[in-house]
Amino acid sequence: MRKEKRRRRKSGLLRLLLFLLALAAVLLAGWYYIVGRLYGEINFQAAEGYADQPWKSEGAVNILLIGNDSRENGGDGRSDAMILMTISDKTKTVYMTSLLRDIYVEIPGHDGNRLNAAYSFGGPELLMETVEQNFDIDVNRYVQVNFEAFAALVDAVGGVDLELSGPEIEYVNAYLVEYNMLTERPEGTDYMDTAAAGRVHLNGPQALAYSRNRYIGTDFGRTERQRKVLSEIMKKLPSALLSNSGSVFGGLLPNLTTNLTKNECFGLSFQAGKLLTYNLVQGSIPLEGSYQDADVRGMAVLQIDFDKNKEYLQECIYGK
């Protein structure tokens, strides 16, 4: 009698286990289908030299975020922003590290030049190769975003709240002049009250204008402003995905270009919950006290202590 009960119990547990496995398989297939549909809206552009390179190395994923100042997706433009996004399982940290565009680097196949010249010469692939060669880190994946995507994403999360000084607001208005002309919006659209310095709410075009300002605090100030906006977006993104997913995906995905594959994006989507528990650390290269202003062939550049900056990146990314 007891043996019969045990057999029934084992049989019941087996049926339950099989049911749960089947349910998990259905949910997994459904999620893969959803990610695939969304991925279909993104512009995939392979970087041939990196097609066979792993997207994860030594417990870290490095993705180079490139803010292209092109007004049309896929159009020519400069790399107006370069941020190394690192997800490190070793240090349980997400790092956002701005790479200043005026750093003087060796560009493979070209003379030494500013870092952002690598993008002009050879697009994302040459830019990744330049970062790898000069900083001794693996960067095999990139995501390129144009102006429209940035502004649309800020609007999709409901805007961002930041501390702005009076002069910063004046430059927001100045940059909006160009943006309004390019997007054929009436003159004066989204201009801000210069007397409203302090904690202010920025919509998409205003946040974009704020992020482009390099006249207050030079390029160090500009990259810090870019990271502030991105940090606020990341804080608001989970709730926006629940309440306004159509606008988030509709405004962002068609304006993204990447060499991340569908399976890699699927893998990233599974890490989303875990990433919410990771620390978020912002920084920039070059580090304070590790550079000097210089003139090279008539170019105003930053000559940096590469050893010091490499050591910092190795510690952040690989925990060494």
Side-chain angles (χ1 to χ4, degrees):
M1 197 72 176
R2 290 181 180 176
K3 289 182 179 180
E4 183 66 24
K5 285 183 179 179
R6 285 180 191 147
R7 278 197 294 269
R8 288 177 185 171
R9 190 177 302 127
K10 286 182 180 178
S11 177
L13 288 173
L14 181 59
R15 286 196 296 270
L16 177 61
L17 179 60
L18 290 173
F19 171 76
L20 292 175
L21 287 173
L23 179 61
V26 170
L27 292 174
L28 191 64
W31 183 244
Y32 189 78
Y33 172 77
I34 292 171
V35 172
R37 286 289 300 271
L38 294 173
Y39 183 80
E41 300 295 319
I42 298 174
N43 301 287
F44 175 80
Q45 183 174 308
E48 296 301 332
Y50 293 94
D52 297 326
Q53 297 296 316
W55 73 304
K56 192 171 187 176
S57 175
E58 298 184 51
V61 175
N62 288 322
I63 301 173
L64 187 60
L65 304 182
I66 306 169
N68 187 346
D69 73 353
S70 171
R71 281 70 176 172
E72 295 182 5
N73 193 50
D76 293 331
R78 298 165 298 174
S79 50
D80 205 46
M82 294 166 287
I83 298 177
L84 184 64
M85 180 73 73
T86 299
I87 303 169
S88 177
D89 291 334
K90 284 190 175 181
T91 60
K92 300 293 187 291
T93 304
V94 176
Y95 296 95
M96 286 197 302
T97 308
S98 297
L99 306 175
L100 270 67
R101 65 184 193 175
D102 289 339
I103 298 172
Y104 188 77
V105 294
E106 295 300 323
I107 300 177
H110 299 267
D111 292 332
N113 210 316
R114 296 187 182 103
L115 178 59
N116 73 331
Y119 179 86
S120 300
F121 295 153
E125 184 168 355
L126 183 57
L127 181 55
M128 287 192 294
E129 186 179 354
T130 300
V131 172
E132 283 191 323
Q133 178 174 298
N134 286 270
F135 293 101
D136 292 339
I137 56 174
D138 292 327
V139 186
N140 300 328
R141 300 297 184 266
Y142 76 89
V143 174
Q144 180 176 297
V145 188
N146 65 18
F147 276 4
E148 289 303 314
F150 188 89
L153 182 57
V154 172
D155 282 334
V157 301
V160 294
D161 297 305
L162 294 168
E163 292 282 342
L164 268 68
S165 66
E168 284 179 317
I169 291 177
E170 290 178 8
Y171 275 109
V172 167
N173 292 340
Y175 277 101
L176 281 171
V177 173
E178 179 194 23
Y179 183 83
N180 289 337
M181 289 176 60
L182 290 167
T183 55
E184 299 181 349
R185 304 195 312 169
E187 182 181 353
T189 301
D190 286 329
Y191 282 12
M192 301 179 67
D193 181 2
T194 55
R199 191 77 173 174
V200 296
H201 184 77
L202 303 176
N203 65 17
Q206 291 166 341
L208 173 63
Y210 168 76
S211 300
R212 296 188 63 207
N213 173 18
R214 66 177 303 187
Y215 296 100
I216 299 177
T218 68
D219 209 28
F220 286 92
R222 182 176 68 162
T223 56
E224 182 180 7
R225 283 185 278 274
Q226 291 167 352
R227 295 193 305 274
K228 283 181 179 180
V229 174
L230 283 175
S231 294
E232 291 302 307
I233 290 173
M234 291 173 69
K235 290 176 185 176
K236 301 182 72 174
L237 193 56
S239 60
L241 287 172
L242 293 175
S243 62
N244 195 24
S245 60
S247 295
V248 172
F249 294 129
L252 177 64
L253 299 184
N255 292 297
L256 291 183
T257 302
T258 185
N259 69 331
L260 283 162
T261 66
K262 180 168 72 172
N263 285 338
E264 289 166 354
C265 288
F266 184 65
L268 276 175
S269 73
F270 262 89
Q271 292 192 57
K274 179 177 68 174
L275 296 183
L276 294 176
T277 67
Y278 280 18
N279 295 321
L280 176 62
V281 175
Q282 302 181 43
S284 64
I285 297 292
L287 300 172
E288 185 176 351
S290 70
Y291 69 92
Q292 60 183 5
D293 296 316
D295 184 285
V296 178
R297 303 194 309 275
M299 295 183 296
V301 300
L302 299 175
Q303 287 189 325
I304 76 171
D305 181 338
F306 278 100
D307 289 338
K308 186 173 183 179
N309 286 279
K310 288 177 186 178
E311 183 180 349
Y312 169 78
L313 287 173
Q314 289 287 326
E315 182 179 348
C316 290
I317 296 172
Y318 305 116
K320 294 181 178 179

